[in-house]
Amino acid sequence: MREPRTHPRDTSLADEPGGRGSGVDAALLHTNDMLVRDPTFYQGICSAFPGRFYAMAPSNEALITTDSAAAVEGIRRGITTCGLHAIKFHINTWYNHTDERWDDNDSIRPYWEAATSLGVPVFFTPGHGPIAGQGHG
């Protein structure tokens, strides 16, 4: 029977068993609507493997136009409480809920002001945008 793989915390991802030496020292964990969106889940991984895994606080794009305060609280919690390293914004998810531009309009401006005040990068997943004549993208 094969021995289970272990991942000692004091080695880099490049030092995986088998000596493949990929040269990868750290990884950024990705989030979207189909993956785990709970910042405490990512906090646990990053805490268990400091310096090896980094994570993004997931945005709740659907809340930005209807409950901006809750959307802002979500990213603040991810960054300040959970210690995550960036903010994830999925453009297609935004357009699933509105035809408004995601980059600058009155309903999203408080969100961007809060996001930039946190001093972390924002990771965008590009998307199609609204589809002409068909309502939400």
Side-chain angles (χ1 to χ4, degrees), residues 23-93:
V24 177
D25 293 319
L28 178 64
L29 301 174
H30 181 70
T31 180
N32 69 24
D33 287 343
M34 295 197 267
L35 301 172
V36 175
R37 293 179 58 88
D38 178 6
T40 57
F41 174 78
Y42 295 107
Q43 176 187 27
I45 295 170
C46 294
S47 296
F49 301 97
R52 292 184 61 198
F53 287 102
Y54 298 88
M56 298 175 277
S59 295
N60 189 334
E61 296 87 354
L63 279 182
I64 295 170
T65 58
T66 59
D67 191 349
S68 181
V72 166
E73 178 54 30
I75 59 170
R76 280 197 178 127
R77 177 177 171 258
I79 300 302
T80 60
T81 304
C82 297
L84 302 184
H85 308 93
I87 297 168
K88 171 64 191 267
F89 188 87
H90 197 281
I91 296 169
N92 277 353
T93 305

Side-chain angles (χ1 to χ4, degrees), residues 91-101 128-137:
I91 296 169
N92 277 353
T93 305
W94 168 260
Y95 282 124
N96 285 337
H97 301 282
T98 184
D99 290 332
E100 294 183 47
R101 292 178 54 104
H128 52 70
I131 300 170
Q134 296 183 13
H136 303 312

